[in-house]
Amino acid sequence: MTARTFEIQGDKVDVDARRKGDRLTLEENGETRAWSAIRVGTAEFVVRDDADSGRNHSVHAIRDDSTWWVHVDGRTYRFKAVVERGGSGGGGGSLAAPIPATVVEVLVANGERVETDQVLLVLSAMKMQLEIRAPHGGNVADLELQADDPVDGGQQLLTIVPVEEEPAAEEEAS
Amino acid sequence: MSLPRRVLIANRGEIAVRIARTCHATGIEVVAVYTEPDTGSPHVLAAQRAVQVDSYTDPEALCEVAVATECDAIHPGYGFLSENPAFVRAAKAAGLVFIGPPVAAMEVMGSKTRARAAMQAAGVPVVPGTEPGTAAELVVAADELGYPVFLKAVAGGGGKGMSIVGDAEELERVYRQATDEAAKSFGDGSIFLERVVARPRHIEIQVFADTHGNTTALGERECSIQRRHQKIIEEAPSPGVSTELRQRMSEAAIAAAEAVGYVGAGTIEFLLGDNDEFFFLEMNTRLQVEHPVTEWITGLDLVRLQLEVAGGAPLPAEALQPSFTGHAIECRVYAEDPGAGHLPQAGRLMLMREPSGPGVRVDAALAEGQEIGVHFDPMLAKVSCWARDRGGAIARMREALKGYVLLGVQTNLDHLQDVLAVPAFAKGDLTTAFLDEHMSQWHSASEIPPLVAAATALADRYGAARNNSGGAVTDPWSTLGNFRLGGGDQR
């Protein structure tokens, strides 16, 4: 996981969160906070604070375009994910392998424009096939994989760089 | 006793689902109606039959559907046509039983001035006030009543068409707006005045009458927690009503219902002032939104009673001599921004988890992927909780609200939790000004705690994004069925 910028009620917040295995860490003002994370279901997690005698926090989080809706311990937070254009490590555009797997098929190429939900890669793990879909539209970048390549869980597969809507497009269309 | 055999529910949303539940449990078939945007809505799926209509508010068309689907009765729910005499007449003309009061009772109670007169004649206390009049007449009358006074539209109701004015100048100014608005909204610009009862509670009595001359009172509901004159939290019994006062208010409520020849479920709303002084406000001639709290403490199913009374049965002993057990609270969950004047909010419900457990009830008609629009009432759900005492009911409610996850549209869930946490609420020190006095500075979360930031980054990693069809989420796992990160032996 890389640095992200969120925006809540006009305030921008930089978040440097990482996950390694079931460890979730957050760098903040030079301090590191750590939790262990358990994925319970779709968009549903338990985050355990080991520093607080293993206290469990129930998390539901879902994104609608650039808006995050996050429910933690009974409270709802709504904020924007700010996409830093062109910067390395910025934005939420990178896609990672959820589990150790083997690449079955690469369906896109660097520079290709893709739509939300478009299938980008097919992985195989535990004798099952897993489609990696685009979480949002944009251009494919950082893709260096081909069929039969092994990937680790958490390994970055590719990046989707969001594209600015061209104002001219509307005129052309009409 | 002959219960209806098949009932058309002329409503949508949670109340249609709630009515259908009792019908199913009573062996009565349900016909739902729906407009095009509601095609896949929960209330449609909760019925044995469903028919598309152009509108929820066309009496003739709804009665035609009821006849065509061989219904013998219509349940109007609340809102829409539930208090519309034309609907009662249309039902009768079509040979259908209207599950509600006789048309005459509805008409009297539907007019503020006629209701007032009927209540005065029956010896039910009413708020001192005036006949409708011109601005000049009302200025003279206001001097006698003493400012501040309420300016009310004769045809208004449900918190609509009323405002408070502090002096003659303000009265004249507000009068012009109010009369224009009332003429536009209700087709009647008549305005009258009422004395303002200082720091009142809003207390209502649930009444029930059958066709055999029995009228009963099923206790009070405390509905003081209101925003813009609309209730958000209700409870029973009221922490401000003694046994003696309950007795007096119940007697007044029964007298009110009998005065208009009432039959079925109804609610007499009172303002309760200092010194246990109470005044008739209005009667709601239908099932009330907050009826679950009464069901909790009486053990009665009010919809079942409605069906029985409509079928000509006498009220059962449990209703005629009700006993009240424990304490119940209801919170209304709205799609709104409580930090911005409670403005209604729209959006798509992307993720939903409803609370459950002992003493917890959710009345809702929600589904993930559902588009929450601004076309209908913004109420999403009602959560009600019961416990042996008030403190226990509040504690259960706080837990229930905490466990209610609704993501994709802004709701008042956080706000409700904070209202319940106000010390004055725990003390039961409630008035209709409670929210203004305790919650006016409230706003939704404006900071992202570290845990929330980290959890969001985690969720982002797993691609917890809405898919195009708006259903659950884009989740690589869902395409694979159930299997778990890290192998199958984690749990």
Side-chain angles (χ1 to χ4, degrees):
Chain A
M1 268 181 270
T2 49
R4 290 167 172 78
T5 304
F6 297 136
E7 186 180 328
I8 187 162
Q9 301 204 352
D11 289 337
K12 282 192 180 168
V13 190
D14 290 319
V15 174
D16 186 5
R18 290 163 205 283
R19 192 205 69 152
K20 195 173 180 191
D22 67 348
R23 300 297 295 166
L24 185 62
T25 56
L26 182 75
E27 296 285 341
E28 197 182 38
N29 304 325
E31 278 184 57
T32 305
R33 296 281 311 267
W35 301 268
S36 49
I38 301 155
R39 189 161 188 262
V40 180
T42 300
E44 192 167 352
F45 306 85
V46 170
V47 174
R48 182 170 296 158
D49 194 345
D50 298 327
D52 187 9
S53 32
R55 186 176 164 199
N56 282 338
H57 299 273
S58 166
V59 174
H60 294 82
I62 195 160
R63 185 167 58 80
D64 184 10
D65 296 328
S66 63
T67 302
W68 275 103
W69 296 84
V70 184
H71 186 269
V72 176
D73 295 337
R75 294 280 154 168
T76 305
Y77 303 84
R78 178 174 60 163
F79 47 88
K80 294 243 173 256
V82 181
V83 178
E84 308 284 351
R85 288 173 206 293
S88 63
S94 71
L95 276 178
I99 46 171
T102 307
V103 177
V104 176
E105 203 176 353
V106 179
L107 298 159
V108 292
N110 281 325
E112 188 174 332
R113 176 81 175 261
V114 295
E115 304 296 330
T116 305
D117 243 12
Q118 183 174 336
V119 180
L120 310 170
L121 291 170
V122 181
L123 304 182
S124 166
M126 296 157 75
K127 295 180 186 167
M128 282 181 279
Q129 293 207 340
L130 168 58
E131 291 176 344
I132 301 295
R133 292 170 182 266
H136 55 79
N139 289 330
V140 175
D142 305 330
L143 173 60
E144 293 167 3
L145 296 165
Q146 46 196 353
D148 295 333
D149 281 353
V151 292
D152 288 333
Q155 179 180 332
Q156 185 179 319
L157 302 170
L158 51 80
T159 304
I160 296 172
V161 182
V163 186
E164 297 251 22
E165 287 306 319
E166 291 131 62
E170 225 175 72
E171 288 171 26
E172 282 169 22
S174 62
Chain B
M1 172 175 91
S2 64
L3 284 168
R5 190 180 45 82
R6 186 178 291 165
V7 171
L8 180 130
I9 301 175
N11 217 301
R12 65 182 297 280
E14 67 88 13
I15 192 60
V17 172
R18 188 262 166 274
I19 294 163
R21 252 181 213 140
T22 290
C23 289
H24 295 327
T26 314
I28 296 170
E29 278 192 39
V30 171
V31 176
V33 290
Y34 63 96
T35 57
E36 197 274 326
D38 266 336
T39 301
S41 289
H43 84 272
V44 178
L45 309 178
Q48 278 97 348
R49 289 176 171 73
V51 178
Q52 187 172 338
V53 293
D54 291 331
S55 158
Y56 291 107
T57 54
D58 183 339
E60 302 294 336
L62 292 173
C63 289
E64 277 171 31
V65 171
V67 170
T69 51
E70 298 176 351
C71 290
D72 44 11
I74 291 189
H75 196 306
Y78 57 70
F80 290 133
L81 293 175
S82 61
E83 295 178 281
N84 186 325
F87 194 33
V88 188
R89 288 204 186 87
K92 201 172 175 188
L96 298 158
V97 172
F98 179 83
I99 301 174
V103 70
M106 185 183 280
E107 281 179 328
V108 172
M109 288 304 190
S111 153
K112 279 193 187 303
T113 44
R114 286 181 66 191
R116 237 180 112 81
M119 293 305 99
Q120 281 175 302
V124 177
V126 299
V127 182
T130 69
E131 297 294 306
T134 64
E137 286 165 358
L138 295 184
V139 165
V140 174
D143 279 336
E144 268 179 49
L145 285 174
Y147 288 99
V149 292
F150 259 126
L151 226 65
K152 291 192 171 185
V154 168
K160 289 179 182 120
M162 57 200 272
S163 31
I164 280 187
V165 295
D167 56 42
E169 193 195 335
E170 194 182 3
L171 193 157
E172 288 183 358
R173 182 161 46 80
V174 173
Y175 181 93
R176 279 193 295 277
Q177 291 169 10
T179 189
D180 285 356
E181 249 176 54
K184 220 188 304 169
S185 308
F186 315 117
D188 178 359
S190 314
I191 303 288
F192 67 103
L193 295 186
E194 248 176 39
R195 196 180 102 193
V196 173
V197 178
R199 297 182 60 78
R201 288 173 186 263
H202 178 119
I203 304 287
E204 60 189 29
I205 303 283
Q206 175 71 52
V207 294
F208 234 106
D210 63 21
T211 51
H212 301 265
N214 301 305
T215 303
T216 187
L218 302 177
E220 81 281 7
R221 290 185 289 259
E222 159 90 57
C223 309
S224 298
I225 308 298
Q226 307 183 353
R227 48 127 178 89
R228 293 189 323 229
H229 303 294
Q230 291 187 320
K231 303 159 189 168
I232 60 168
I233 300 177
E234 301 100 340
E235 57 184 300
S238 163
V241 174
S242 64
T243 307
E244 179 272 331
L245 178 58
R246 178 172 308 118
Q247 183 65 29
R248 282 198 289 133
M249 294 184 85
S250 296
E251 282 165 13
I254 288 171
E258 287 179 342
V260 295
Y262 203 77
V263 174
T267 295
I268 314 287
E269 296 190 337
F270 292 108
L271 270 190
L272 176 62
D274 296 341
N275 305 324
D276 288 357
E277 183 186 41
F278 62 88
F279 306 102
F280 172 87
L281 270 184
E282 63 179 9
M283 179 174 193
N284 295 311
T285 56
R286 51 167 163 82
L287 190 68
Q288 200 90 336
V289 175
E290 58 272 25
H291 74 275
V293 293
T294 300
E295 296 188 322
W296 272 121
I297 65 160
T298 60
L300 296 166
D301 177 340
L302 297 193
V303 173
R304 166 90 197 200
L305 288 184
Q306 285 188 299
L307 294 166
E308 289 176 4
V309 165
L315 285 165
E318 311 89 84
L320 294 174
Q321 289 96 36
S323 61
F324 306 116
T325 310
H327 198 97
I329 299 188
E330 175 186 273
C331 285
R332 300 192 192 185
V333 182
Y334 283 97
E336 66 174 26
D337 183 353
H342 299 276
L343 276 179
Q345 300 287 305
R348 193 193 287 272
L349 186 56
M350 294 184 291
L351 189 75
M352 172 178 82
R353 298 287 182 274
E354 293 189 325
S356 60
V360 178
R361 166 176 170 181
V362 177
D363 285 86
L366 297 172
E368 283 183 358
Q370 190 175 325
E371 202 67 56
I372 308 297
V374 289
H375 305 293
F376 298 113
D377 188 272
M379 193 178 80
L380 297 173
K382 309 183 307 204
V383 182
S384 58
C385 292
W386 178 93
R388 278 181 307 176
D389 56 29
R390 186 167 185 267
I394 293 172
R396 270 189 175 158
M397 179 60 82
R398 291 179 68 173
E399 273 306 299
L401 294 176
K402 206 176 149 188
Y404 209 155
V405 183
L406 294 173
L407 300 184
V409 61
Q410 188 170 359
T411 73
N412 64 334
L413 279 163
D414 286 13
H415 181 258
L416 287 168
Q417 293 177 64
D418 291 340
V419 174
L420 296 177
V422 172
F425 188 90
K427 278 190 219 148
D429 189 5
L430 313 178
T431 76
T432 54
F434 188 93
L435 294 183
D436 287 339
E437 288 172 6
H438 297 282
M439 299 296 291
S440 60
Q441 299 301 310
W442 192 92
H443 59 80
S444 54
S446 59
E447 281 176 14
I448 307 174
L451 174 64
V452 173
T456 305
L458 178 70
D460 195 14
R461 171 62 169 283
Y462 285 108
R466 158 184 158 180
N467 66 26
N468 282 339
S469 65
V473 285
T474 305
D475 177 5
W477 302 97
S478 62
T479 60
L480 294 174
N482 288 329
F483 82 106
R484 198 178 306 276
L485 178 66
D489 59 350
Q490 290 198 338
R491 268 210 295 211

